[in-house]
Amino acid sequence: MFTSCVNLATIYASDKFVTTACSEDGEMFSDCKKLVGAVPYDPNRIGKEMANYTTGYFTYKAASGIDAVSTTDNIAAEYYDVNGRRLNAPQKGINIVKRGNITTKVLVK
């Protein structure tokens, strides 16, 4: 999985990370010489048993399910038709909605 990632220094993981789908145990961390987590890298310990944040090479980071909070909800939406003409309000049919730097298509029935 991480074999020969020679510049890899940190792998963040939570308790949600599992290695049950890994079929081979042998050299998951081979040549990851800069990797440090709960323990420093040891070239003699390179199997999947080191894929954890308590006794292995991972660094704990809680899984929150939220990577970033979007502030686009506070930005006024701009509406366009499929030909790119600006609308004053959503119209029946397909509308292009631009809010900040996010653009989506919305079907209004």
Side-chain angles (χ1 to χ4, degrees), residues 8-28:
L8 182 62
T10 307
I11 302 171
Y12 293 103
S14 74
D15 52 353
K16 307 286 184 208
F17 184 88
V18 295
T19 58
T20 53
C22 297
S23 59
E24 293 186 27
D25 182 35
E27 299 181 353
M28 182 181 275

Side-chain angles (χ1 to χ4, degrees), residues 17-86:
F17 184 88
V18 295
T19 58
T20 53
C22 297
S23 59
E24 293 186 27
D25 182 35
E27 299 181 353
M28 182 181 275
F29 297 102
S30 179
D31 294 323
C32 297
K33 298 172 185 172
K34 295 182 181 179
L35 188 58
V36 176
V39 297
Y41 180 76
D42 178 347
N44 297 313
R45 300 178 69 199
I46 56 175
K48 73 178 182 181
E49 76 280 356
M50 300 306 289
N52 69 78
Y53 60 83
T54 55
T55 60
Y57 299 137
F58 288 2
T59 299
Y60 180 75
K61 185 172 185 178
S64 67
I66 299 173
D67 291 332
V69 176
S70 174
T71 58
T72 59
D73 291 340
N74 297 331
I75 299 172
E78 298 174 14
Y79 302 98
Y80 300 87
D81 66 14
V82 292
N83 295 316
R85 292 180 296 232
R86 181 137 187 197

